[in-house]
Amino acid sequence: MSIRVLLDARKLGDGGVGVYIENLINGYLELGGSSKTGVDFSLLLAPHVVAEQSEVGEYVRECLAEWGGEVDFLYDGAKKYSFSEYFLLPLRKQKILKNHSLYHSPHYTLPFFLGIPSIITVHDVIHVSHPDSFYHRPVARKLISSALRRASRVITVSRYSQSQIKKYFADCHTPIVVVPNALRKDMLVQDEKEMFASSHTNGLASNYLLFVGNGRPHKNLASLLKAFHKLKNRKAEGGSLGVDELVIVGEWDSSASCSRIISRRGLVNCIRTIKAPTTRELCALYKNARAVVIPSLEEGFSLVALEAMAAGTPVICTPLTALKELCGEHAWYSSGARSRDLLEALLRALADEKGCREKICKSLARARLFNRGEVVRRTIAVYESALSLDSLQSDEVFYSRRASG
């Protein structure tokens, strides 16, 4: 008898959670789908996102066209974090829910009164530990606490995130299982020859640093902009390391502090913004960059670091526990998150061509460990455990296999 899973896929195309959904379904299909895994997926989608004329809408439609016939599609127009999502959605989908074994939310928004076992994936607790505004912490704390209490199992993406959940929600008694994220389809270069080959990047200068993210405070883009300004000043003084531009991928314009830094420090002509590249374009941006810089104050995992390693590009990042857990010895770490700390790490990494080459050659093998099939197998084990169909393998065993790579 198969396990019928209703997966909330309404955030498909929306940041890291969207990538998580994409990887879960692509990995499921790569393993052979229902006939090989014993799981049938139904995806709950937002009709307005599927229909909208935007990069996200087009991306979602492409995914659905690829998955059509392999998974079922259901629709609900409830807004995120709304009363409709938490209370009315289960009423509208009551008959459908009864025909499923369990409900999987890839976020900490878990509707009430589902009537079947539920799984939630909590990627991080940044809304609690590093809130964007004064109201984020109390709201997120209530939502996460409620979801943790009602879920049958909790999946998180790193040991660090697991420890943070336990720290901020000490009264959580639901089992928390670590299943790391995976690489997206076509994001992994195949060999060293491909790793060092250039590819088209929309007319960018040949020497650029890459930041992939947004303007949220914990991403710490402001410090990177200040460090980049100092790096440009060194070039003017004759100490160039061959970096001409900083390419920012993502929506960051709402950050007034970042806009002021760019304007006041004369960086307008050496900052390039690319808001929504395709997967192929993003892969080329990673591969051709001198380095990918992650100046974050907090991360639960960092898909950006994983994708940079898979592209064979040096990763320069702050010394966060989650980043060290993911990258190991394959990244360059700053001593802190201030601009001068980032500048020091940039200078050290960019000046050491031999060291960079050694690190990125090893990083390819590291990145291969994070594959979609393993994520799906591990997630199905969580489903089985929630339904008491099988015992759950320890996350320590799962991690020790990865760490050995």
Side-chain angles (χ1 to χ4, degrees), residues 83-109:
F83 179 87
S84 179
E85 176 181 42
Y86 273 89
F87 296 100
L88 301 184
L89 186 155
L91 292 175
R92 290 191 292 267
K93 304 300 179 187
Q94 191 173 46
K95 291 182 180 179
I96 291 170
L97 285 164
K98 287 180 179 179
N99 290 326
H100 286 80
S101 311
L102 57 83
Y103 182 94
H104 183 179
S105 172
H107 191 40
Y108 57 71
T109 51

Side-chain angles (χ1 to χ4, degrees), residues 214-369:
N214 53 48
R216 291 178 60 191
H218 77 275
K219 292 297 184 181
N220 199 28
L221 176 57
S223 287
L224 174 56
L225 291 169
K226 293 174 184 177
F228 179 69
H229 175 251
K230 293 174 183 177
L231 187 67
K232 296 293 288 183
N233 283 346
R234 288 180 67 92
K235 178 177 180 178
E237 295 166 5
S240 171
L241 286 171
V243 174
D244 300 311
E245 290 184 323
L246 173 63
V247 176
I248 302 174
V249 173
E251 298 279 353
W252 63 273
D253 313 59
S254 60
S255 173
S257 61
C258 292
S259 298
R260 283 195 298 269
I261 292 168
I262 291 172
S263 176
R264 292 175 181 176
R265 306 202 179 200
L267 296 176
V268 174
N269 294 327
C270 49
I271 301 292
R272 182 78 65 94
T273 299
I274 302 175
K275 290 190 176 181
T278 64
T279 301
R280 178 173 292 184
E281 289 169 343
L282 180 58
C283 192
L285 287 166
Y286 276 126
K287 191 153 71 76
N288 289 350
R290 285 288 301 278
V292 173
V293 189
I294 304 171
S296 302
L297 302 174
E298 181 72 327
E299 291 286 348
F301 181 82
S302 185
L303 280 167
V304 174
L306 177 59
E307 292 175 347
M309 288 196 298
T313 302
V315 175
I316 302 171
C317 59
T318 47
L320 299 177
T321 302
L323 290 171
K324 289 184 175 180
E325 180 182 335
L326 171 61
C327 300
E329 61 183 17
H330 309 304
W332 299 87
Y333 298 99
S334 63
S335 58
R338 297 170 297 183
S339 60
R340 65 185 183 188
D341 301 324
L342 294 169
L343 176 63
E344 185 275 333
L346 283 166
L347 294 173
R348 184 160 39 91
L350 295 173
D352 187 1
E353 292 185 12
K354 181 181 178 182
C356 281
R357 194 175 185 95
E358 290 174 352
K359 282 181 184 289
I360 63 180
C361 285
K362 293 178 181 178
S363 72
L364 186 58
R366 175 74 175 171
R368 281 198 178 104
L369 295 172

Side-chain angles (χ1 to χ4, degrees), residues 107-119:
H107 191 40
Y108 57 71
T109 51
L110 182 65
F112 287 85
F113 313 122
L114 291 168
I116 56 176
S118 58
I119 308 292

Side-chain angles (χ1 to χ4, degrees), residues 168-189:
Y168 286 97
F169 302 93
D171 59 345
C172 172
H173 301 297
T174 307
I176 304 172
V177 186
V178 179
V179 182
N181 280 314
L183 282 167
R184 273 182 279 186
K185 205 173 181 181
D186 303 324
M187 291 299 293
L188 182 70
V189 300

Side-chain angles (χ1 to χ4, degrees), residues 55-191:
E55 290 91 348
V56 172
E58 183 178 351
Y59 159 79
V60 171
R61 288 190 292 274
E62 288 176 358
C63 287
L64 301 190
E66 183 178 352
W67 301 337
E70 302 291 341
V71 296
D72 293 330
F73 303 140
L74 307 170
Y75 297 90
D76 192 273
K79 293 183 179 179
K80 300 173 187 176
Y81 309 106
S82 67
F83 179 87
S84 179
E85 176 181 42
Y86 273 89
F87 296 100
L88 301 184
L89 186 155
L91 292 175
R92 290 191 292 267
K93 304 300 179 187
Q94 191 173 46
K95 291 182 180 179
I96 291 170
L97 285 164
K98 287 180 179 179
N99 290 326
H100 286 80
S101 311
L102 57 83
Y103 182 94
H104 183 179
S105 172
H107 191 40
Y108 57 71
T109 51
L110 182 65
F112 287 85
F113 313 122
L114 291 168
I116 56 176
S118 58
I119 308 292
I120 61 168
T121 301
V122 180
H123 298 261
D124 56 60
V125 291
I126 289 172
H127 279 140
V128 177
S129 63
H130 292 73
D132 291 358
S133 64
F134 73 93
Y135 67 84
H136 273 90
R137 177 176 283 131
V139 172
R141 185 181 290 278
K142 286 184 179 296
L143 295 181
I144 297 173
S145 178
S146 173
L148 291 173
R149 187 174 62 253
R150 292 181 289 114
S152 303
R153 294 289 186 275
V154 177
I155 295 173
T156 193
V157 294
S158 66
R159 283 177 171 171
Y160 176 70
S161 280
Q162 183 188 52
S163 71
Q164 289 294 92
I165 294 170
K166 291 179 178 179
K167 173 184 175 181
Y168 286 97
F169 302 93
D171 59 345
C172 172
H173 301 297
T174 307
I176 304 172
V177 186
V178 179
V179 182
N181 280 314
L183 282 167
R184 273 182 279 186
K185 205 173 181 181
D186 303 324
M187 291 299 293
L188 182 70
V189 300
Q190 298 304 311
D191 52 40

